[in-house]
Amino acid sequence: METIKLTIDNLQVEVPKGTNLVEAAAGAGIKIPTLCYMNLHELNYTNNPGVCRICVVEVEGRKNLAPACKTVCTEGMVVRTHTPRVINARQTVLELILSNHPNECLTCPKNGYCTLQNLARDLGIREAKYTGEVTKPLMDMSLSIERNMDKCIMCRRCETACNQMQTVGALAVTHRGFASVLGTAFNEPLQTTQCVNCGQCVAVCPTGALSENNNIREVFRAIGDPKKTVVVQTAPAVRVGLGQDFGFSGRSVTGKMVTALRQLGFDYVFDTDFAADLTIMEEGTELLQRLGAYLSGDKEVKLPLMTSCCPGWVSFMEKHYPELRDNLSTAKSPQQMFGALAKNYFAAKMGIDRRNLVVVSVMPCVAKKSEAARPEFGCDGDQDVNLSITTRELARMIRFANMNFKELEESDFDRPLGESTGAGVIFGATGGVIEAAVRTAYEVYTKKPLGRLDFTELRGMEGIRSATVDMDGTPVRIGIAHGLAHARQLAEEVLAGRSPYHAIEIMACPGGCIGGGGQPYHLGNIDVLKERTASLYAEDRDKPLRKSHENPYIQSLYSEYLGQPCGKLAHELLHTHYYDRKPTVDTTPANLKK
């Protein structure tokens, strides 16, 4: 690789040819502040409009200040990143940005996590020097996402996430000049557009312009109601994300999290990993049934079977590829399987009317909020999952309760819906669902013990991966995608009849649930996602049981209540169907160009 040498703040730096100054400085440990620039290196997505000008630097020989994100390094270049001239320019630019920004920091959902707020602190901004016309407030709220466009700084990160990373096409800049706004086509409410509620726009937004629809008040209200029994379930990825807010970056904090939930007042604390094991039993059985029919010559069977755990992906399919409805597994997601069991099995066992049982889920995902509200996931107006909150919301609740999270003792989940295997844990990482399914499907299909449990060929951060698993002479071809742009590629192959796979796992978010739209902000640092993934696989290795069908509580559930996987009662409670949910107005970028 051809490299060049330059000097940044008196440090000699050598970088690959074509590197911009922001990346070159970062490699030398020098931070150049940015607002609009974002580089998700290993995911190959970059937002680089060069509009904020916060990253200006002095380059020897140039009269004007250079935007570091748009300036490519050249041989012998001499750069200064923190001269008085540079600092003055950054302060002026930031003051101008703040002149069109509401002073609502104390009540803003991004308070404490806002890049704009942090920059104002670092640059010593203490007063609003400029006044004048400001953007009119434009608010919009879907089941999952809240938009406050008067806080938008036009960095266009969300546009990149929505259009490049996810290829959804729900958000784009409209109008020109001061009237420019980041919005939906024809000003449609987000709920009625192509938006799939994945939350990646929220994850990359540097201000409070985009945030999750907050349900903390409703949860505390339910906990405080003496007539209600409130249970909570926590997803696999939450335990490796929550700690980031309390000094345990990337590490699993399962035991402390359980203790915190009990101290918040939840009556029972359960593990969604149990429902993940249950999902494997249902989805794995469904895969074997479809494969069996296919190998027996049934030409009508729908293959590849596509996973249905991710609500962002399910919504994407319903809105963009309704023709693939029959390819999706009918198995509900772990969140909804748990909700169905809690409201029907657990409530009856405890002698509680299902309407007096409040099921709360803690998820790494904002799309889980809209999933929980789907009308088919309930009975007579009582939803199986009443409230879904994000990892970030749980962190806020713990702070509200004034807990010293670091000093909390560790405790275990409640039984019987809290015991899980390592297979349930790895659901939180891309490739984990299909790896967990393979562990069980292999032994059920071959009637032989699995020689190895770690299918490393199914792991990794590449956007699209493939592998072939030999099931005792029967090759099963598997495809994996994370990020909806990659999902679109696999979906197009299936539609065209060119897909080589028998099974496909798709997760809407980068890295899977560990990079979910409701997780603590990684701000483009892929190392954070890698740490979370490693922690999940470490917890899997430490589990005494690592295959879903070996979970004794799962076995008891089937023998005492459900019967057989994919049997009559199991199908009634744990499976679903899908819809054509294309918006009445086609707002995809391709259609708008027409």
Side-chain angles (χ1 to χ4, degrees):
M1 182 183 296
E2 186 178 353
T3 62
I4 58 172
K5 295 180 180 179
L6 68 156
T7 302
I8 305 177
D9 291 344
N10 298 317
L11 288 176
Q12 296 294 315
V13 179
E14 186 172 0
V15 297
K17 188 176 181 180
T19 303
N20 67 33
L21 285 177
V22 171
E23 299 293 336
I30 299 169
K31 181 181 178 181
I32 296 177
T34 60
L35 281 173
C36 64
Y37 182 74
M38 176 183 68
N39 193 341
L40 303 177
H41 295 83
E42 294 188 34
L43 301 178
N44 297 317
Y45 295 113
T46 303
N47 185 69
N48 193 18
V51 295
C52 75
R53 276 343 197 226
I54 286 292
C55 66
V56 291
V57 295
E58 276 195 74
V59 177
E60 193 173 279
R62 285 184 61 162
K63 292 183 179 180
N64 61 317
L65 294 176
C69 67
K70 285 292 189 180
T71 304
V72 176
C73 300
T74 59
E75 186 67 39
M77 180 182 279
V78 178
V79 181
R80 296 178 181 84
T81 70
H82 296 96
T83 64
R85 183 187 178 198
V86 166
I87 293 173
N88 179 66
R90 289 177 186 165
Q91 288 175 329
T92 302
V93 168
L94 190 57
E95 286 165 350
L96 287 168
I97 292 173
L98 291 172
S99 72
N100 188 34
H101 199 80
N103 296 315
E104 299 175 354
C105 292
L106 292 179
T107 56
C108 179
K110 285 280 180 74
N111 186 18
Y113 302 95
C114 174
T115 306
L116 185 68
Q117 184 184 56
N118 292 339
L119 272 177
R121 177 199 64 206
D122 294 344
L123 289 172
I125 306 297
R126 294 293 178 265
E127 60 180 325
K129 287 187 177 180
Y130 305 102
T131 58
E133 187 178 354
V134 296
T135 302
K136 295 178 181 179
L138 190 161
M139 292 192 64
D140 177 26
M141 184 181 293
S142 71
L143 290 167
S144 296
I145 296 170
E146 180 179 322
R147 293 194 303 140
N148 291 284
M149 289 296 99
D150 56 335
K151 297 177 181 177
C152 176
I153 59 171
M154 295 297 290
C155 69
R156 306 181 77 156
R157 287 188 180 194
C158 61
E159 187 180 28
T160 293
C162 189
N163 292 286
Q164 294 183 32
M165 185 188 301
Q166 304 296 64
T167 64
V168 170
L171 294 172
V173 172
T174 60
H175 306 302
R176 307 177 92 177
F178 188 76
S180 295
V181 64
L182 199 294
T184 61
F186 312 115
N187 255 356
E188 285 281 305
L190 203 59
Q191 188 70 26
T192 62
T193 68
Q194 297 276 7
C195 175
V196 299
N197 293 304
C198 68
Q200 285 306 304
C201 57
V202 177
V204 301
C205 179
T207 70
L210 291 159
S211 60
E212 68 268 28
N213 187 348
N214 191 305
N215 295 115
I216 292 176
R217 287 183 183 273
E218 293 95 321
V219 174
F220 275 130
R221 192 176 297 123
I223 290 173
D225 188 340
K227 297 178 182 178
K228 303 295 185 182
T229 299
V230 187
V231 304
V232 63
Q233 58 166 317
T234 64
V238 173
R239 69 206 63 200
V240 294
L242 179 65
Q244 181 176 328
D245 270 15
F246 300 101
F248 296 92
S249 182
R251 288 166 51 190
S252 177
V253 292
T254 307
K256 292 181 182 295
M257 175 185 68
V258 172
T259 301
L261 289 166
R262 285 207 177 92
Q263 291 191 13
L264 284 171
F266 290 100
D267 296 299
Y268 295 93
V269 181
F270 292 126
D271 194 354
T272 311
D273 292 11
F274 173 87
D277 280 337
L278 189 62
T279 302
I280 288 303
M281 298 301 295
E282 295 298 317
E283 200 167 67
T285 300
E286 186 181 6
L287 173 60
L288 291 177
Q289 288 176 345
R290 294 200 194 191
L291 279 175
Y294 173 77
L295 294 173
S296 298
D298 185 349
K299 301 301 181 183
E300 299 300 316
V301 66
K302 290 294 184 179
L303 286 178
L305 176 72
M306 307 172 91
T307 60
S308 55
C309 301
C310 172
W313 151 242
V314 170
S315 180
F316 183 78
M317 179 278 303
E318 289 180 322
K319 290 185 174 182
H320 295 256
Y321 293 96
E323 308 92 330
L324 297 180
R325 281 177 293 175
D326 293 337
N327 285 86
L328 250 70
S329 166
T330 60
K332 294 178 182 178
S333 72
Q335 171 182 267
Q336 295 308 136
M337 282 197 183
F338 178 91
L341 280 179
K343 290 284 189 170
N344 294 282
Y345 170 71
F346 181 73
K349 201 166 187 175
M350 302 300 292
I352 304 169
D353 185 290
R354 66 168 285 151
R355 291 186 177 276
N356 288 326
L357 182 72
V358 178
V359 177
V360 177
S361 69
V362 184
M363 296 285 138
C365 173
V366 298
K368 288 293 180 183
K369 294 175 182 285
S370 56
E371 179 187 57
R374 287 174 70 120
E376 65 268 27
F377 292 154
C379 178
D380 297 328
D382 177 43
Q383 293 303 110
D384 291 338
V385 176
N386 300 98
L387 294 163
S388 181
I389 62 173
T390 64
T391 309
R392 291 193 297 266
E393 286 173 278
L394 175 58
R396 292 187 201 115
M397 290 178 69
I398 292 170
R399 287 201 176 87
F400 291 169
N402 200 30
M403 293 183 204
N404 185 342
F405 190 82
K406 284 189 175 182
E407 298 301 320
L408 290 179
E409 295 184 0
E410 299 192 358
S411 56
D412 294 326
F413 290 103
D414 290 309
R415 304 292 188 268
L417 306 182
E419 184 62 49
S420 63
T421 69
V425 172
I426 61 176
F427 258 61
T430 174
V433 174
I434 206 72
E435 180 174 348
V438 166
R439 292 179 187 179
T440 287
Y442 180 94
E443 294 199 353
V444 171
Y445 178 75
T446 67
K447 305 296 190 295
K448 296 179 180 179
L450 194 58
R452 64 185 177 109
L453 295 182
D454 295 318
F455 287 85
T456 54
E457 63 269 35
L458 301 175
R459 304 175 184 179
M461 290 293 286
E462 297 84 6
I464 295 177
R465 307 188 297 284
S466 60
T468 299
V469 176
D470 183 0
M471 290 197 177
D472 199 27
T474 301
V476 177
R477 293 184 294 276
I478 295 170
I480 299 167
H482 61 115
L484 292 175
H486 299 124
R488 185 181 290 277
Q489 294 180 46
L490 296 189
E492 292 287 352
E493 287 183 1
V494 176
L495 276 181
R498 293 183 284 103
S499 177
Y501 305 117
H502 297 109
I504 294 176
E505 179 204 302
I506 293 178
M507 292 292 176
C509 296
C513 298
I514 50 97
Q519 290 280 70
Y521 303 109
H522 59 76
L523 299 178
N525 184 355
I526 302 303
D527 288 337
V528 172
L529 301 186
K530 288 182 176 179
E531 288 174 359
R532 294 174 185 172
T533 301
S535 292
L536 286 181
Y537 284 115
E539 190 159 325
D540 166 40
R541 287 193 302 271
D542 292 339
K543 285 274 190 177
L545 297 175
R546 299 181 63 194
K547 291 172 279 190
S548 297
H549 60 288
E550 293 182 346
N551 186 334
Y553 291 94
I554 292 289
Q555 295 170 356
S556 296
L557 181 65
Y558 277 106
S559 63
E560 296 174 9
Y561 182 65
L562 290 174
Q564 296 296 319
C566 289
K568 184 178 179 181
L569 181 56
H571 207 277
E572 181 182 333
L573 282 181
L574 308 178
H575 291 254
T576 187
H577 50 278
Y578 305 102
Y579 303 88
D580 181 342
R581 297 180 187 268
K582 282 188 175 180
T584 53
V585 177
D586 186 357
T587 58
T588 58
N591 185 63
L592 293 179
K593 288 178 182 178
K594 295 176 186 177

